[in-house]
Amino acid sequence: MSKDLKLLEKQIGYEFSDFSLLQRAVSHSSYVNEKHLPKYECNERLEFLGDAVLEIVSSEFLFYEHEKMPEGDLTKIRASIVCEPSLAFCARQIGLGDYLLLGRGEEATGGRKRESITSDALEAMIGAIYIDGGFANAKEFIQQFVLNDMENKKLFYDSKTILQELVQANFTEAVSYQLLAEEGPDHNKSFLTAVYIGKKEYGQGRGRTKKSAEQEAAYQTILQLHKNNVK
């Protein structure tokens, strides 16, 4: 069951003039198919538009943020900002998955937490705001929820690489990952992973895939090491 969309408006600080745009932005194709609605009522067209708006806003941000950086490096950073895991991370911060309209099958198999679905919905939200309130409002949303706290997000996106470098610089032991638990049916798995430096456990992470669980565990370990002044 999805939450009241008025709460989502409060969460993002934007009130739609055309509320149907918000409803469309959270309507997954599985919901539209199940309700026998026209295909264009799902959020895929808004996602297409939002993707383009996100690309121009993130490009402009990076252009001015890194005034001497060459084009190739700017392209790599932009790709990391707009990739599926990054946008899913941003979607989690506003609880977007809780508001999605999903078909029963998608609901039953954990669609609210599926990165491909939540990242697409975030882009659809950008497209909806762009149509409803223009470029300035879409840009403000992107700056507030996608381009904010970039340093912390980079820690999350590159957590395994950053942790490896931290450990190599500060420890004699190696970093390793251990799967602690695997729960749920095949269509809705959850994995719990721990990070070890040598024989000592430092952090745990849970995810829908082993890779995402390791990423979360590495991120939590980095935060713990930073608290201990390991840089």
Side-chain angles (χ1 to χ4, degrees):
M1 184 69 181
S2 59
K3 292 170 72 173
D4 184 356
L5 290 179
K6 285 294 182 183
L7 295 175
L8 180 56
E9 285 188 320
K10 290 181 181 178
Q11 178 74 17
I12 65 174
Y14 180 81
E15 187 173 339
F16 280 80
S17 298
D18 182 355
F19 195 69
S20 68
L21 283 167
L22 177 57
Q23 291 173 317
R24 185 173 295 185
V26 299
S27 295
H28 187 251
S29 57
S30 63
Y31 173 83
V32 168
N33 292 338
E34 190 174 282
K35 297 294 183 181
H36 304 293
L37 298 171
K39 174 69 173 173
Y40 60 78
E41 291 288 350
C42 78
N43 63 7
E44 291 174 358
R45 283 169 51 82
L46 285 174
E47 174 206 337
F48 163 79
L49 181 60
D51 174 68
V53 177
L54 174 60
E55 184 155 315
I56 185 64
V57 173
S58 58
S59 298
E60 181 191 52
F61 170 80
L62 293 172
F63 182 82
Y64 289 110
E65 185 76 7
H66 305 285
E67 293 186 349
K68 297 181 180 179
M69 185 176 285
E71 177 267 345
D73 292 338
L74 291 172
T75 300
K76 288 178 184 177
I77 298 176
R78 184 181 64 195
S80 73
I81 291 172
V82 303
C83 72
E84 182 180 293
S86 302
L87 296 181
F89 182 81
C90 299
R92 283 200 299 276
Q93 291 185 309
I94 60 175
L96 185 55
D98 295 336
Y99 299 93
L100 298 180
L101 297 173
L102 302 172
R104 283 182 298 238
E106 199 62 64
E107 179 82 64
T109 55
R112 292 191 186 281
K113 295 182 179 179
R114 187 163 292 126
E115 291 190 343
S116 58
I117 292 178
T118 57
S119 61
D120 288 351
L122 186 74
E123 290 184 322
M125 177 82 68
I126 293 168
I129 293 172
Y130 173 77
I131 292 176
D132 189 75
F135 183 76
N137 280 301
K139 182 177 180 179
E140 185 176 336
F141 174 85
I142 293 167
Q143 289 173 332
Q144 185 173 354
F145 295 109
V146 180
L147 301 177
N148 65 319
D149 197 14
M150 290 299 294
E151 185 174 337
N152 189 49
K153 285 177 179 171
K154 188 178 188 304
L155 276 186
F156 181 76
Y157 307 150
D158 301 330
S159 56
K160 292 185 72 174
T161 301
I162 292 170
L163 178 60
Q164 183 70 32
E165 292 170 353
L166 272 176
V167 171
Q168 287 176 344
N170 294 281
F171 294 84
T172 55
E173 304 97 329
V175 62
S176 62
Y177 297 84
Q178 182 176 326
L179 182 64
L180 300 180
E182 185 176 327
E183 302 163 350
D186 287 342
H187 62 261
N188 193 17
K189 284 283 189 190
S190 175
F191 298 90
L192 180 64
T193 298
V195 169
Y196 287 83
I197 301 175
K199 295 183 179 180
K200 182 179 178 181
E201 181 183 318
Y202 275 81
Q204 293 187 2
R206 188 178 294 275
R208 289 180 55 84
T209 65
K210 291 178 183 178
K211 183 178 178 181
S212 63
E214 289 179 356
Q215 181 183 33
E216 178 65 31
Y219 176 64
Q220 295 300 331
T221 301
I222 293 167
L223 295 181
Q224 184 63 44
L225 292 176
H226 283 181
K227 284 182 182 177
N228 297 337
N229 293 316
V230 177
K231 304 287 186 179

